[in-house]
């Protein structure tokens, strides 16, 4: 019994489909998708299920692309050898025609592969949009591979319809998407967080995200009623994401946030400003090891923090109106006490 068969049998027994490549990537092809969907007939539609894919290569079964290229290469070699007897101008024109022919066939092969890839992604999406009730969905490191090195991960074209579907299904308590392109899927993610009120655990490996995208995400996380944890440990640390995570930490004390570790390879990509500020943030979190509420008290309710808030508040208000102190301020009180009491009275 291969790994997929084992995962399928476990799914039928426990309701958890877990298919992952721990040491090397596993393949998921069209036959697998068909067998998985056929198994739904044996399941209880009133129960909740889990769907986890990790380090999986999606195989749309387009292996015919490679032989086509080999035949083209053989024809090119023969044509080039036969054309060597022609004169220089004829050889050049023939070579151009061959090059154009190869380019046309390569583009056709690429287009065919892209079409089959999109169709396969839709098939995978149909699994998650079936009538089953999902409580947990994890799609981590799932990609198409073309050639030895290039990995084409599932992106916004897959995540947007998935999030739109899950917005209307409040059974989901855990969602993990890695990688996730926040700049492309941020709106869909925001709508999902607004509509799916029972989510408790969100994990995102964000690769691309602008500061505005991060700010909007922070607002959605803060407004969510049941979210307990937001895990960003697999997020790529570049300047934009680093700035976004710092903003998120400053403005969100409701949800427990897991931050990525700052590695040496990341430091080379970060401006020194963000590197130092992010390192200070994560060091502070390691020392505290508190709940979000405790962290809020330590960071925002200390004497220094309240004085800073009072000063900023007074400066802002003083620009539009003159602030006067009431009789409750004693002459013996120091300037800090007077400033703080004035801020509190004004805010009140």
């Amino acid at each position: 019994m291969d790994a997929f068969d084992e995962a399928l049998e476990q799914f039928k027994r426990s309701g958890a489909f877990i298919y992952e490549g721990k040491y090397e990537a596993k393949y998921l092809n069209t036959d697998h998708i068909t067998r998985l969907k056929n198994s739904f007939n044996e399941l209880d539609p009133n129960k909740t299920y889990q769907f986890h894919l990790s380090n999986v290569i999606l195989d749309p079964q387009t292996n015919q692309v490679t032989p086509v290229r080999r035949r083209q290469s053989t024809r090119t070699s023969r044509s080039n050898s036969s054309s060597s007897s022609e004169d220089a101008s004829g050889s050049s024109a023939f070579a151009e025609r061959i090059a154009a022919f190869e380019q046309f066939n390569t583009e056709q092969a690429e287009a065919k592969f892209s079409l089959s890839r999109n169709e396969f992604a839709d098939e995978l999406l149909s699994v998650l949009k079936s009538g089953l009730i999902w409580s947990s969905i994890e799609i981590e490191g799932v990609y198409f591979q073309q050639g030895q090195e290039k990995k084409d991960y599932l992106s916004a074209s897959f995540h947007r319809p998935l999030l739109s579907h899950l917005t209307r299904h409040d059974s989901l308590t855990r969602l993990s998407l890695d990688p996730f392109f926040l700049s492309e899927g941020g709106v869909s993610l925001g709508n999902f967080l607004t509509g799916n009120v029972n989510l408790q655990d969100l994990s995102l490996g964000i690769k691309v995200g602008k500061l505005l995208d991060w700010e909007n995400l922070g607002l959605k996380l803060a407004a969510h009623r049941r979210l307990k944890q937001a895990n960003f440990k697999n997020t790529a640390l570049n300047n934009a994401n680093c700035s976004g995570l710092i903003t998120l930490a400053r403005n969100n004390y409701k949800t427990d946030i897991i931050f990525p570790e700052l590695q040496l390879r990341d430091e080379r990509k970060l401006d020194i400003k963000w590197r130092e500020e992010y390192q200070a943030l994560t060091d502070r979190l390691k020392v505290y090891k508190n709940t979000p509420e405790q962290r809020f008290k330590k960071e925002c309710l200390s004497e220094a923090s309240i004085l800073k808030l009072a000063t900023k508040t007074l400066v802002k208000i003083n620009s539009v109106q003159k602030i006067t102190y009431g009789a409750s301020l004693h002459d013996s009180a120091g300037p800090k006490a007077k400033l703080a009491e004035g801020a509190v009275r004004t805010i009140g």
Side-chain angles (χ1 to χ4, degrees):
M1 183 181 295
D2 64 16
F4 180 84
D5 290 329
E6 291 178 359
L8 189 59
E9 288 303 314
Q10 178 185 339
F11 181 46
K12 294 176 183 178
R13 291 194 307 269
S14 68
F17 180 78
I18 302 174
Y19 189 56
E20 56 185 4
K22 293 183 178 179
Y23 305 107
E24 62 180 30
K26 288 185 167 54
Y27 282 86
L28 187 72
N29 58 39
T30 306
D31 177 62
H32 291 152
I33 295 290
T34 301
R35 290 165 58 195
L36 178 60
K37 292 170 73 172
N38 288 339
S39 72
F40 293 173
N41 297 325
E42 306 175 37
L43 305 177
D44 185 349
N46 296 315
K47 292 184 178 180
T48 59
Y49 297 91
Q50 301 174 30
F51 184 86
H52 298 175
L53 292 183
S54 177
N55 195 23
V56 169
I57 301 175
L58 302 177
D59 181 12
Q61 295 186 337
T62 54
N63 296 328
Q64 69 273 15
V65 173
T66 302
V68 168
R69 288 182 174 175
R70 287 180 183 150
R71 288 196 296 271
Q72 291 167 1
S73 177
T74 303
R75 287 196 298 270
T76 301
S77 175
R78 292 173 180 172
S79 300
N80 286 340
S81 62
S82 62
S83 64
S84 61
S85 61
E86 298 178 6
D87 56 52
S89 60
S91 176
S92 176
F94 186 76
E96 289 179 0
R97 291 196 296 272
I98 289 295
F101 176 77
E102 286 184 338
Q103 179 66 25
F104 174 76
N105 279 275
T106 299
E107 290 175 354
Q108 277 193 322
E110 293 287 349
K112 188 173 183 178
F113 180 78
S114 178
L115 179 62
S116 61
R117 186 173 54 188
N118 292 337
E119 290 174 347
F120 189 84
D122 288 341
E123 279 296 302
L124 177 59
L125 189 62
S126 70
V127 171
L128 298 171
K129 295 172 70 174
S130 65
L132 293 186
I133 304 172
W134 303 108
S135 63
S136 175
I137 293 176
E138 297 181 12
I139 300 178
E140 304 170 347
V142 179
Y143 60 94
F144 297 96
Q145 185 162 1
Q146 189 175 10
Q148 293 298 318
E149 300 297 332
K150 185 178 178 182
K151 295 181 179 180
D152 189 0
Y153 289 94
L154 291 174
S155 58
S157 60
F158 178 85
H159 294 147
R160 279 196 293 257
L162 173 62
L163 289 169
S164 177
H165 173 74
L166 295 176
T167 298
R168 303 184 296 273
H169 296 267
D170 57 6
S171 60
L172 194 72
T173 59
R174 169 164 174 75
L175 176 66
S176 179
L177 300 174
D178 180 18
F180 184 79
F181 300 88
L182 187 60
S183 57
E184 299 175 5
V187 174
S188 300
L189 178 63
N191 293 336
F192 164 74
L193 289 171
T194 300
N196 194 305
V197 297
N198 290 324
L199 190 72
Q200 298 179 18
D201 191 335
L202 176 67
S203 182
L204 297 172
I206 294 178
K207 303 306 176 190
V208 182
K210 299 177 182 177
L211 180 57
L212 181 60
D213 301 321
W214 277 102
E215 291 175 346
N216 291 333
L217 174 58
L219 292 173
K220 297 297 184 181
L221 294 179
H224 201 282
R225 292 184 292 174
R226 292 185 174 86
L227 190 66
K228 296 179 179 178
Q229 176 178 281
N231 188 338
F232 299 102
K233 69 177 182 180
N234 291 328
T235 290
L237 283 179
N238 49 45
N239 286 332
N241 287 345
C242 192
S243 173
L245 284 166
I246 291 172
T247 301
L248 197 65
R250 287 174 177 167
N251 298 330
N252 196 318
Y253 291 92
K254 181 182 176 182
T255 304
D256 187 19
I257 300 173
I258 298 177
F259 295 87
E261 291 285 341
L262 184 61
Q263 306 290 339
L264 181 62
R265 66 177 183 272
D266 301 318
E267 294 181 3
R268 302 190 186 101
K269 305 174 186 177
L270 295 172
D271 293 343
I272 187 169
K273 169 191 174 184
W274 297 122
R275 186 166 67 243
E276 291 178 348
E277 196 168 350
Y278 186 81
Q279 187 67 62
L281 166 68
T282 52
D283 287 346
R284 191 165 67 249
L285 293 174
K286 289 178 184 177
V287 172
Y288 287 166
K289 294 182 180 178
N290 298 134
T291 65
E293 292 81 2
Q294 291 170 325
R295 186 165 67 91
F296 174 78
K297 291 177 182 178
K298 288 190 175 184
E299 293 186 1
C300 298
L301 297 183
S302 65
E303 181 181 347
S305 299
I306 292 175
L307 179 60
K308 183 178 179 181
L309 174 62
T311 304
K312 290 175 64 175
T313 304
L314 287 171
V315 168
K316 289 181 180 179
I317 296 178
N318 195 44
S319 63
V320 295
Q321 68 180 34
K322 184 178 180 180
I323 300 177
T324 59
Y325 296 98
S328 63
L329 287 174
H330 304 290
D331 294 337
S332 60
K336 289 186 177 180
K338 290 182 179 180
L339 187 61
E341 184 173 347
V344 171
R345 289 171 57 84
T346 304
I347 294 171

